[in-house]
Every structure is written in C-alpha cells, then in structure tokens.
Amino acid sequence: MNLPPLASFRPRLLADLRGYTRERLGKDIGAGATVGIVALPLAMAFAIASGLKPEAGLWTAIIAGFLIAVLGGTSVQIGGPAGAFIVIVYGIVERYGVANLLIATASAGVLLFLMGLFRLGSLVRYVPVSVVIGFTNGIAVLIGLSQLRDLLGLQIEKMPADFFNQIGTVARHIQDLNPWAFALGALCVIGLFIWPRLWSVDSQFRRQLDQLEVVSALRATSRLPAPVVALVTLTLAAWLLELPVETIGTRFGGIPQSPPAFTLPDFSWETVRLLVTPTLTLAILGAIESLLCARVADQLSNTPKHDPNQELMAQGVANAVVPFFGGMPATGTIARTVTNIRAGATSPIAGVVHALTLAVVVLAAAPLAQHIPLAVLAGVLLFVAWNMGEWKEFARLRHFSNHYRLMMVSTFLVTIVFDLTVAVELGLVLAFVLFVRRQSNIFRVDPVSRDGRQVVYRLYGSLFFGAVAKIDPLTAEMEWAPPGTHLVLDASHLISLDTTGLDALEQLQQTLEKRDGKLSMTGLNEQPLSLIRRSGFAQKLHPGL
C-alpha cells in the first residue's frame, strides 16, 4: 500500500526573503515593534489568569513568538499565549500542577508537529463553524468570570476552575470588594473601548483636534495601542496615589530581569499516561486556533495563502520548546496578528521583531512591572474576552436551522458548565449525528412504473448506513410480490453507496431470489458501480454488470 508523502518542512520565511527590500524591512520593523508593545500586557494577563507567574506568559510570547515566526507557514501571523488557553491551562494547573502542565504542553507540541508532518492540517477545516463559535463564546464567558476576583479586589487565595464554584466563591466574598481596584478595572475597560473611537477618522474629537497646531504630536499619541495606554496611565495613577490595590509585586514579587534557565520537568511515562486528555485538548485547541488565525490573516493581508501543515509543525516545535523555559502553551493569536497586519507587516520578520522588542522591554523594564495593578490586567482581559466572543451570532440564530442552533448552543453551554474537551467532543458528535440525519433525509426510493411482473423504482441520494431503513419497505413489498417479479432499480441518481447500503441491496436480491424473481440495476455511477463489482454482487444481478 502506498502511503501519502509526508509534508516537507519549508518555513514561509525562506520564500518571503527572496526579493526582500529595505522598504519592506522598514514596514516589518515598525509593525513588529508595535505588536511587541501590545503583547506585553496581554502576555502577563494571560499567564496570571492561567494560574502562572507573569514571566511565564512573557517568555512564551518571546520564545514561541520567535519560533513560530521563523518556522511558520504564514507571512504575518503572530504566535504566543492566547486567551483561548486560559480556562484549559488553569484547570490543568489546579488538577495536575505546573510541572505536569509543562509535560502536557511539550507532548501537545509533539502531536502538533506530527499532525503537520502527516498532512492533517486540512482536517481542522472540517470542524463545523457552529462548534467553533460555541466554544469560543463559552471560553470568553469563562475568561470574564475568572477575572472577577482581581477586578473586584476580592481576597480569595485561589479561584476554583469550574463555573458554579467560581460563582459561589465570588458571591461569598463579595462583601470584601475593594472599591479602588474596581475603579481601576472599570476605568481600564472603559478606556479600552473609548480610545480607538476617539481617534477614528469620523469622530468629533478628531475633527476638533485637526484645527490645533499640535495635531502632529496628538496623532503620534493616537498610534499608541489602547492596552499600553491603559497599563501605563493607570499604573502611574495607582502608584502616585498609593492606592491600596494588589499588584504584580505584592502577589508574585515582581518579574525576574534575567532570561529563564533551561530546566527539565520531572518526566515519567506514568505521568504522560495521566495527561493524555489534557495533551489532546491542548493539541486540538492549538491546531484550531492557529489555523483559524491563519485564515483570518489570509483574508486581511495581501500575502500568499498559508500552508496549514507547515504552520502546525511550527506550532509543534514552539510548544515542545517553551516548557523547558517555564513557558505555557502557545498558538496563533488573532488580535496580535490583526494588529501586525494593520501596522503594515509584510513578512515573518515582523514576528521576529515583535519577539525581540518584547525581550528588550522585559529585560530593561522588568522592575517597573511590579507596580502594575492586577485589576488593570483584569480589565484588559475582560476587554479581550468581549472581543473574543461572537455575540451577534446569538441574535442571528433565528436565521439558521435547528441543527445549527443545537450544535452552537449546546457547545456553548457545555463549555461553560463542564469543560472545553467535553464541549468539542459533544459538538463533533452532534455534527456527525445531524449530518447523518440530514443525508438520510435526502435519500429516497420512488416508484416509477409497474408493467406486469416488471417493477421499476428510482434511487436518489446516498445509500449509506444512515439511510438503509428506507430500503426496508421495498424489501417487505417484494416478500409479497408475485413469483417471478423482475425489480429494476434506476440508479442514475444514486450518488454513493457504502457497504451497509450494499448489504441492504443483497438482502433485497435474496428476497426476490426466494420467489424466483430477479434484480437489475441501471444507470450506475462510478462509485456505486465500483463497489458492486469489487464485492462480487454484480454477478448476482440480472443481467450481470
């Protein structure tokens, strides 16, 4: 048996460097520096929300971002820690510990690389969009819920991982609300919504400022990313006013100013067996997120279409490496990729610059990070969660079929109440069952003519395991047909046939044979004809095929 060839390892960077110009380099440096600054608060926020130290997110963004840019199959995608992983990582840390998270991440990296190597990148496209929207919205709700502790300044030592216990824990401690923390978090969220609208082309604020002499300086300010503006201004306000709020320094003791050391997690095959489910979850979610992000990049940029298999191999290498430096799972990130594209990126060099910019900022300004209030980072994550969810899809449900509604709503609810793994499994099972039902409804057997002992029926659609029950009434009819009946099946509209459908036809032929009857099939298309001949059933038909 000839196996399909393995995917070749060809990073997009090699192709993009051909004919690379100084003009493109300038655009990539500008875009990369912009994204690097944007990634700073997000990387810290994602790590803290996942139950890890902030440096875990920062060095994941640096190391994984660099590797994904250099080895990936897209021109402008930015890799790093993502909001979609928060709920999964937090659950793994709570149940198995940080050391086992590192093992699961490295194992998921190996799986991702093998998925790309064996050309499985295209399979991710078969995940129904209703399932993707359902679990994306569910994750957004869980991210928002997980940030209530820091947003409200509640004195909760450790938040539980499941939905109902989180609600109960917050409700029991709501009397400890810190108004200063809540004010900082609320101002952060409001500012993140207002900042880009202030500087939009059609805003009244922008039109009034156009008449001032300092417009050039103000326009330079407008190019600052909203999360960075919120982080700097609110951190300064909290520090200058000496507000009684929890910060990175008070909870984690600050961020180390040196690069992380290479360390080996405590590895054993017994541990790996325990982590099968978390590993599969991280690998599947990483593949879906990275390839969805790559598709978004294809739509927004003028760069060549992404190579899904190369992208999965790059994601695999990144996730296999970062755990040895204390990192967390990484994937393609839509928000930072879109920022990269809008900033003018033309090649993976922008992703490399993004990682280097972030490394310089971390190494040079790590001591300042200890003053960042956790309530501000919570506000950033609430904004991320809001933008992550596709909330308009709930309003549009009335325009879609009941099948679509069932898959999306059930995936959404199961993601919130149970976990993402169960939600994706349920969504895919529902998609399979509903697809089988839809296809079985398409298949039908229609009478055409009856001339003495010759009866003609016509088959439509696909005769497969989900539709064979529609052959049973015809078989029952032939049990009472006159002896010597000749049944002709017009198969010119039969699209496909599987072995279960073939078995139903054989039973029909045997029923006729018992009453000295015969079965003919006409107009067979290529696939049904090939199966009938290979199975030997063709010799039992009249006349033989």
Side-chain angles (χ1 to χ4, degrees):
M1 183 176 65
N2 293 326
L3 296 175
L6 300 178
S8 57
F9 194 84
R10 294 178 181 174
R12 178 60 57 83
L13 178 64
L14 299 178
D16 281 347
L17 287 179
R18 299 192 191 109
Y20 195 68
T21 63
R22 183 177 298 179
E23 180 185 1
R24 290 179 62 190
L25 176 62
K27 291 182 178 179
D28 286 337
I29 291 175
T34 300
V35 181
I37 295 172
V38 171
L40 179 68
L42 295 177
M44 289 189 293
F46 291 152
I48 293 172
S50 301
L52 304 172
K53 293 183 177 180
E55 57 264 30
L58 290 170
W59 286 105
T60 298
I62 294 168
I63 299 172
F66 179 84
L67 292 174
I68 291 171
V70 171
L71 305 177
T74 67
S75 296
V76 291
Q77 178 158 285
I78 300 295
F85 279 124
I86 290 175
V87 178
I88 301 301
V89 173
Y90 189 88
I92 295 174
V93 170
E94 185 187 49
R95 184 175 301 177
Y96 302 102
V98 175
N100 287 328
L101 168 68
L102 303 181
I103 295 174
T105 302
S107 302
V110 174
L111 285 181
L112 283 167
F113 186 86
L114 293 176
M115 288 170 66
L117 184 64
F118 289 102
R119 298 179 178 272
L120 300 180
S122 59
L123 293 182
V124 177
R125 298 180 182 177
Y126 295 121
V127 179
V129 66
S130 54
V131 173
V132 174
I133 293 174
F135 76 67
T136 301
N137 287 357
I139 290 172
V141 171
L142 290 176
I143 291 174
L145 180 62
S146 69
Q147 296 311 298
L148 291 182
R149 174 182 68 167
D150 292 334
L151 178 72
L152 303 176
L154 304 181
Q155 297 302 310
I156 301 173
E157 184 176 350
K158 189 174 183 181
M159 284 285 285
D162 60 290
F163 176 71
F164 293 109
N165 280 336
Q166 283 185 343
I167 293 178
T169 302
V170 171
R172 287 193 299 271
H173 291 81
I174 194 66
Q175 70 275 6
D176 300 328
L177 183 145
N178 183 333
W180 297 110
F182 179 70
L184 287 174
L187 285 173
C188 179
V189 174
I190 294 171
L192 292 174
F193 276 103
I194 291 178
W195 183 258
R197 290 166 176 80
L198 282 178
W199 297 105
S200 62
V201 177
D202 58 346
S203 73
Q204 184 66 28
F205 178 75
R206 178 73 174 268
R207 285 197 294 267
Q208 291 178 354
L209 288 180
D210 284 341
Q211 302 173 3
L212 300 178
E213 296 180 358
V214 291
V215 66
S216 58
L218 288 171
R219 283 182 176 172
T221 304
S222 71
R223 288 193 290 269
L224 291 175
V228 175
V229 174
L231 193 71
V232 172
T233 55
L234 294 176
T235 298
L236 280 173
W239 179 64
L240 292 173
L241 298 175
E242 299 182 352
L243 299 181
V245 295
E246 193 171 16
T247 65
I248 288 179
T250 58
R251 181 179 295 182
F252 302 104
I255 297 175
Q257 203 169 357
S258 59
F262 179 88
T263 55
L264 289 173
D266 186 14
F267 177 85
S268 71
W269 287 111
E270 291 294 329
T271 303
V272 171
R273 282 199 290 269
L274 290 174
L275 298 173
V276 169
T277 299
T279 297
L280 290 175
T281 303
L282 292 174
I284 293 172
L285 182 58
I288 293 174
E289 282 290 309
S290 63
L291 296 185
L292 284 177
C293 180
R295 290 175 64 182
V296 171
D298 288 345
Q299 295 169 1
L300 296 179
S301 69
N302 296 322
T303 56
K305 300 296 182 184
H306 74 281
D307 179 347
N309 298 312
Q310 181 62 40
E311 187 61 30
L312 287 183
M313 287 190 283
Q315 301 284 343
V317 171
N319 281 282
V321 170
V322 291
F324 297 103
F325 297 91
M328 59 188 292
T331 186
T333 58
I334 293 179
R336 276 159 277 172
T337 297
V338 172
T339 302
N340 191 39
I341 294 170
R342 290 176 176 170
T346 67
S347 77
I349 294 296
V352 173
V353 174
H354 138 266
L356 296 177
T357 300
L358 196 52
V360 170
V361 172
V362 171
L363 294 176
L368 300 178
Q370 65 179 332
H371 301 294
I372 298 175
L374 296 180
V376 175
L377 292 180
V380 172
L381 278 185
L382 285 173
F383 182 74
V384 169
W386 175 260
N387 286 329
M388 180 181 177
E390 299 186 44
W391 313 111
K392 293 180 180 178
E393 292 299 317
F394 287 115
R396 297 177 60 217
L397 279 177
R398 64 181 183 276
H399 300 302
F400 296 102
S401 66
N402 289 331
H403 293 176
Y404 182 95
R405 297 172 190 168
L406 178 61
M407 284 193 291
M408 178 178 158
V409 174
S410 60
T411 305
F412 171 73
L413 293 176
V414 172
T415 299
I416 293 175
V417 176
F418 296 99
D419 61 51
L420 180 64
T421 307
V422 177
V424 173
E425 290 172 351
L426 175 65
L428 292 177
V429 169
L430 280 175
F432 171 75
V433 171
L434 295 174
F435 175 78
V436 169
R437 180 182 176 186
R438 186 180 295 112
Q439 292 301 310
S440 64
N441 289 337
I442 293 174
F443 178 78
R444 69 179 193 270
V445 182
D446 290 349
V448 177
S449 65
R450 187 181 297 270
D451 184 9
R453 294 185 179 180
Q454 179 168 303
V455 183
V456 181
Y457 278 80
R458 183 171 291 129
L459 307 180
Y460 293 87
S462 299
L463 180 53
F464 69 115
F465 65 89
V468 291
K470 294 188 176 182
I471 293 291
D472 293 343
L474 182 58
T475 303
E477 180 184 337
M478 292 302 106
E479 290 178 351
W480 300 96
T485 296
H486 179 197
L487 174 62
V488 179
L489 296 179
D490 178 359
S492 58
H493 297 282
L494 182 66
I495 300 172
S496 62
L497 176 71
D498 73 352
T499 53
T500 307
L502 178 64
D503 181 68
L505 293 178
E506 289 179 337
Q507 292 181 26
L508 177 61
Q509 185 272 334
Q510 292 169 6
T511 299
L512 286 164
E513 189 177 34
K514 290 177 183 178
R515 300 184 63 79
D516 298 323
K518 50 194 176 183
L519 175 65
S520 297
M521 297 190 72
T522 62
L524 280 162
N525 292 306
E526 181 179 356
Q527 189 276 331
L529 178 60
S530 173
L531 178 59
I532 287 173
R533 283 177 172 169
R534 285 184 283 112
S535 66
F537 183 57
Q539 285 73 36
K540 300 178 183 180
L541 297 175
H542 178 82
L545 297 175

